[in-house]
Amino acid sequence: MIFLYVTEDYYLNVYKGEPVDTFDALQLRAAEIVEEMTMYRLTELTYEAMPECVQTAVKKAICAQMEYLDANGGPDLDNGAALASASLGKFSYAMASEGKPGIYAPRALRILAPTGLLYRGGICR
């Protein structure tokens, strides 16, 4: 069974995220990326032991990562699939491969910053 940090109900009604077509895929990919972002300090087991305020920050960070993925090409953003160009009516958008956005959502990083989960140093004893 797959552990879900965020439900669609939480994403839409608590976080007030933009509706997405591929919620399950985005949620799973965003959770993987946030786990990676925290250098795997965030896991199902560690999450359950975290204070409620940190769990809330993790949920918000995953939601922010979902919105970022959705806005920048979907769950395949980290698979090297860069948007070359798109147009709809008078609107057109093109992005060079070197202009590809980073994988981590800037907002997710800001949300997690005060939790200590992004700390790169060693363990103090």
Side-chain angles (χ1 to χ4, degrees), residues 62-81:
I62 290 171
C63 290
Q65 186 68 44
M66 287 175 62
E67 285 185 325
Y68 185 76
L69 287 172
D70 188 52
N72 289 291
D76 292 329
L77 176 65
D78 66 337
N79 292 334

Side-chain angles (χ1 to χ4, degrees), residues 9-50:
D9 181 60
Y10 180 90
Y11 176 77
L12 293 172
N13 299 314
V14 177
Y15 180 77
K16 305 292 186 194
E18 291 293 320
V20 295
D21 292 333
T22 57
F23 178 84
D24 291 337
L26 281 175
Q27 195 282 148
L28 290 172
R29 183 72 70 232
E32 289 172 1
I33 292 169
V34 170
E35 287 173 351
E36 175 187 318
M37 188 186 299
T38 65
M39 294 157 294
Y40 301 99
R41 288 184 176 104
L42 173 63
T43 66
E44 178 181 348
L45 293 174
T46 61
Y47 176 81
E48 296 294 333
M50 291 176 180

Side-chain angles (χ1 to χ4, degrees), residues 81-92:
L83 178 65
S85 69
S87 62
L88 179 62
K90 292 182 178 182
F91 173 78
S92 67

